[in-house]
Amino acid sequence: MRPQSLRRILSLVLPLCCCAIAGHTAENAAPQKHFFWKVTSGRGVVFLLGTIHVGTADLYPLPPVIESSFNKSSTLVEEINITDVDDTKNSKNFVAQNGAFVVGDFISNHLREETRNQLARFVTANGLNVQVILHIRPWALSMIVGNIEAKTAGLDGTKGLDKHFADEALKMHKPIVGLETNEGHLRLIASFSDVLQDQLLMIALRDANKATQQLHEILNAWKTGNSDALEAIITQPVHEYPWLKPVETKIIDERNDTMTQKIEEFLKTPKTYFVAVGAGHMVGERGIVSQLRAKNYKVEQM
């Protein structure tokens, strides 16, 4: 195996994308709501946008209420500050140092038979280099699979909402803050046990042949502001395979708790923040929106 081949495929780990599973969308409600909320305290205001990390050109132009709210905010807060050069560098270094097994070890030694079979089918269907794949750790491979699915569905990270607002903030010289770092996200999933990494990869692989349908169902749910539909998409695999619950807890629920606490700090200031976080973090009983409502902030879907 050529080292440059491994580095090239591991570079696919770095972009973030939504993990689409399966679900159903609903008819547009009247009046039209968006995946967008206004949260107010007695002191501050937070505009809360659930984002799609990868998208298509037809996402734009965005609804005027979203753009106007962004324009009057003092600070852009994103899940990850994608303009942070140091974080990008640290992320690349982390993947280079931790994304592959040591010489003599292989991914097949760390997966259940069902996951190995799913992976073999995916590798064959996508014409991937088996000798390269054998050396990649499951956590890194799960992100590569997600990016391949997004590309298959015609979705593009340069059309994602995170990049859109980061570009706008740079033009307006608006401060950009990250709730997390990409390096921290990578460290989190890299710290998973073999069992959890197997489960994470299984989520990415199980419906890879339905990528186009599933990713566009997420877009449809987002465009109609349909939280219930998006929640169904995200939670469906856990309902089908309850043993996936620990992965959901780690990569969604626990991060929701931390992000909600940070958003509360913004609400204590006399400022207006525009917080753009992955749409999957907004929905469900432990989602950011529900947590803020439970803490008695005024939360309005716009």
Side-chain angles (χ1 to χ4, degrees):
M1 178 187 62
R2 298 165 61 191
Q4 59 266 37
S5 297
L6 181 57
R7 286 197 297 271
R8 187 162 56 247
I9 197 165
L10 284 176
S11 70
L12 292 171
V13 169
L14 295 174
L16 295 177
C17 67
C18 284
C19 179
I21 313 297
H24 306 278
T25 55
E27 297 294 326
N28 287 2
Q32 174 67 53
K33 295 291 185 180
H34 309 289
F35 231 88
F36 186 57
W37 293 262
K38 181 180 181 181
V39 185
T40 53
S41 64
R43 191 165 174 79
V45 175
V46 166
F47 290 109
L48 193 58
L49 176 68
T51 66
I52 302 295
H53 298 312
V54 290
T56 57
D58 64 2
L59 271 178
Y60 307 95
L62 294 173
V65 66
I66 296 177
E67 292 286 14
S68 64
S69 299
F70 171 75
N71 290 338
K72 64 187 179 185
S73 65
S74 61
T75 303
L76 170 64
V77 181
E78 294 199 307
E79 191 172 330
I80 290 171
N81 179 1
I82 61 176
T83 69
D84 186 336
V85 176
D86 288 337
D87 184 34
T88 299
K89 179 180 178 181
N90 292 339
S91 298
K92 290 179 178 179
N93 289 338
F94 182 82
V95 171
Q97 295 169 11
N98 300 279
F101 290 107
V102 297
V103 175
D105 197 4
F106 304 97
I107 192 172
S108 53
N109 296 331
H110 300 266
L111 300 178
R112 295 174 303 116
E113 181 179 3
E114 182 181 5
T115 309
R116 290 199 302 269
N117 292 339
Q118 289 268 16
L119 177 58
R121 287 192 287 270
F122 183 84
V123 168
T124 299
N126 290 275
L128 302 180
N129 186 324
V130 175
Q131 295 305 312
V132 172
I133 296 300
L134 282 173
H135 292 270
I136 301 176
R137 291 185 180 273
W139 68 265
L141 188 54
S142 68
M143 301 184 77
I144 292 171
V145 170
N147 281 294
I148 290 174
E149 291 178 11
K151 289 181 179 179
T152 299
L155 303 180
D156 184 352
T158 66
K159 302 291 193 303
L161 295 171
D162 307 78
K163 187 175 189 309
H164 169 77
F165 284 109
D167 288 346
E168 291 298 306
L170 290 174
K171 291 177 185 176
M172 299 170 65
H173 304 288
K174 192 188 295 285
I176 304 174
V177 175
L179 291 175
E180 302 176 328
T181 63
N182 198 27
E183 182 190 8
H185 178 73
L186 294 172
R187 286 185 180 277
L188 170 64
I189 61 175
S191 72
F192 287 0
S193 66
D194 275 4
V195 171
L196 289 183
Q197 288 194 41
D198 180 290
Q199 293 172 356
L200 187 68
L201 180 57
M202 184 65 176
I203 291 175
L205 290 168
R206 62 181 297 278
D207 284 326
N209 61 331
K210 301 177 182 177
T212 299
Q213 173 191 342
Q214 294 161 354
L215 288 168
H216 283 285
E217 283 178 347
I218 283 181
L219 286 173
N220 289 336
W222 185 88
K223 289 177 182 178
T224 58
N226 193 329
S227 298
D228 291 340
L230 188 63
E231 183 183 5
I233 294 169
I234 292 170
T235 61
Q236 190 273 337
V238 175
H239 292 311
E240 186 174 348
Y241 301 109
W243 46 265
L244 292 174
K245 181 62 180 175
V247 174
E248 180 186 65
T249 298
K250 286 286 185 183
I251 65 176
I252 298 180
D253 294 342
E254 291 180 3
R255 291 170 61 214
N256 288 351
D257 298 345
T258 302
M259 288 191 279
T260 300
Q261 292 170 7
K262 292 180 179 180
I263 291 169
E264 281 195 274
E265 293 301 313
F266 302 145
L267 289 164
K268 294 176 182 178
T269 70
K271 296 182 179 180
T272 299
Y273 291 83
F274 189 92
V275 178
V277 174
H281 294 287
M282 301 297 166
V283 302
E285 292 183 3
R286 203 163 162 182
I288 292 172
V289 171
S290 291
Q291 289 200 42
L292 290 172
R293 282 200 175 109
K295 294 173 183 290
N296 295 318
Y297 294 105
K298 184 179 180 181
V299 181
E300 310 166 81
Q301 188 171 10
M302 302 177 69

